[in-house]
């Protein structure tokens, strides 16, 4: 099977797309990744074909402050721009990232079946949940249900507006206004990070996290016999800033951390200044670091959180905006993390001591990671969906 996988260059979307391409390759399929220029060499080095996805840069008149316009109008323009590029690959199936929605539109233009890739839990509205992004657990009792209903009513306007924008964008490029949607939605998360809902879509399948390490380098931990704290600052534009600097200033071994503790800061760039002898900063395989870790301090991005849970490592989560607040609250309710917001030295120190000092957080993280046994194989899901649609 020939597969075109479309995803933007942000690490939280490009790296899972690369991981999915590698899964297809291992199954004997022929995937090609369409993504931003800065991820092409990474994908090719990993062993998958990759071509540039055109139109990622904003055009004159684009309104990035309007999320609907950013997702739908730009996607429509990109679908037209990349139609030939995708068609030349002669794919049997198109996989379209849930944010880089041009892939699905281009597939519709080409008359090809397509599947949506969600690199996080299912974020579609539900009649049984508070609005996604609120971070709230489903309301209990009459008062809680009334709260959720009122909040859903407010957020429904934005959802309906987005549907209208998508219909308008489809019509502009010659497609019917009614969107038939994807054959399947691959929900690349752990079951433990999902919230039960009464209206789970029949086309949505939880397939487990899709992780890809963009480097073969391994960060060497400083010498010591104490606990290992891994820090993974957010790569998202909406992430909390200053996490690395505050950690290196606050979490001093023999003070906040036990004597002999080590800190490893995993990020795409190296240190900005002097690094204390008990710490290391740079790009290294996160899976290797987490295998030795006692605690992860992170921004709450889904990929990093899922990696930590799969390794059975508890967290201190410092969420920024976007879906980080939602994910952070879910892992707190699940029991594997403490949340710090706003970011402050005293709160960070208290949360770090609490999670390191109580085994219940690690036990909860291990339970969450074990839920991966319940997921489906994404490649099999794609093949079966294509067989049914034929």
């Amino acid at each position: 099977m020939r597969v075109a996988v479309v995803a933007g260059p942000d690490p939280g979307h490009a790296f899972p797309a690369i991981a999915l391409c590698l899964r297809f390759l291992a199954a004997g399929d022929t995937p090609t990744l369409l993504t931003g220029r800065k991820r092409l060499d990474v994908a090719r080095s990993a062993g998958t074909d990759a071509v540039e996805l055109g139109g990622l840069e904003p055009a004159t008149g684009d309104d990035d402050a309007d999320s609907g316009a950013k997702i739908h109008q730009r996607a429509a323009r990109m679908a037209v721009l990349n139609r030939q590029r995708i068609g030349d690959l002669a794919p049997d199936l198109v996989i379209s990232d849930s944010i880089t929605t041009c892939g699905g539109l281009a597939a519709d233009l080409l008359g090809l079946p397509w599947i949506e890739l969600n690199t996080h839990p299912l974020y579609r509205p539900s009649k049984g949940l508070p609005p996604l992004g609120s971070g709230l657990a489903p309301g209990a009792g009459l008062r809680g249900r009334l709260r959720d209903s009122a909040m859903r009513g407010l957020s429904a306007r934005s959802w309906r507006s987005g549907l209208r924008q998508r219909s308008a964008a489809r019509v502009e490029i010659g497609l019917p206004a009614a969107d038939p949607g994807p054959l399947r939605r691959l929900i690349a998360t752990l079951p433990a990070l999902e919230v039960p809902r009464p209206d789970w879509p029949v086309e949505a399948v939880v397939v487990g996290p899709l992780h890809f390490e963009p480097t073969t380098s391994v960060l060497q931990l400083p010498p010591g016999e104490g606990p290992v704290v891994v820090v993974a600052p957010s790569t998202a534009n909406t992430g909390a800033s200053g996490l690395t600097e505050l950690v290196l200033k606050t979490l001093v071994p023999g003070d906040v951390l036990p004597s002999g503790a080590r800190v490893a800061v995993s990020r795409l760039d190296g240190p900005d200044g002097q690094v204390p002898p008990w710490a290391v900063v740079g790009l290294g395989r996160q899976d290797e670091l987490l295998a030795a870790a006692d605690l992860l301090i992170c921004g709450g991005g889904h990929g990093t959180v899922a990696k930590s849970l799969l390794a059975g490592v508890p967290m201190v989560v410092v969420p920024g905006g976007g879906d980080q607040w939602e994910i952070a609250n879910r892992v707190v309710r699940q029991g594997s993390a403490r949340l710090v917001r706003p970011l402050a030295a005293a709160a960070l120190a208290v949360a770090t001591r609490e999670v390191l000092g109580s085994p219940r957080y690690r036990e909860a993280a291990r339970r969450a990671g074990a839920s991966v046994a319940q997921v489906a194989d994404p490649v099999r899901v794609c093949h079966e969906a294509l067989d049914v649609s034929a």
Side-chain angles (χ1 to χ4, degrees), residues 116-131:
E116 182 180 83
L117 172 60
N118 293 255
T119 60
H120 45 63
L122 179 64
Y123 285 160
R124 297 178 71 80
S126 168
K127 65 182 181 182
L129 301 179

Side-chain angles (χ1 to χ4, degrees), residues 223-251:
E225 299 298 327
V228 173
V229 176
V230 175
V231 183
S234 174
T235 59
N237 293 331
T238 56
S241 61
L243 180 58
T244 298
E245 294 75 14
L246 190 62
V247 164
L248 296 181
K249 181 179 178 180
T250 303
L251 302 187

Side-chain angles (χ1 to χ4, degrees), residues 138-163:
L142 178 59
R143 182 174 296 180
R145 291 193 296 272
L146 287 174
R147 178 207 68 182
D148 290 353
S149 179
M151 293 180 67
R152 285 195 299 269
L154 293 173
S155 64
R157 297 181 214 164
S158 295
W159 182 258
R160 289 193 296 268
S161 176
L163 293 178

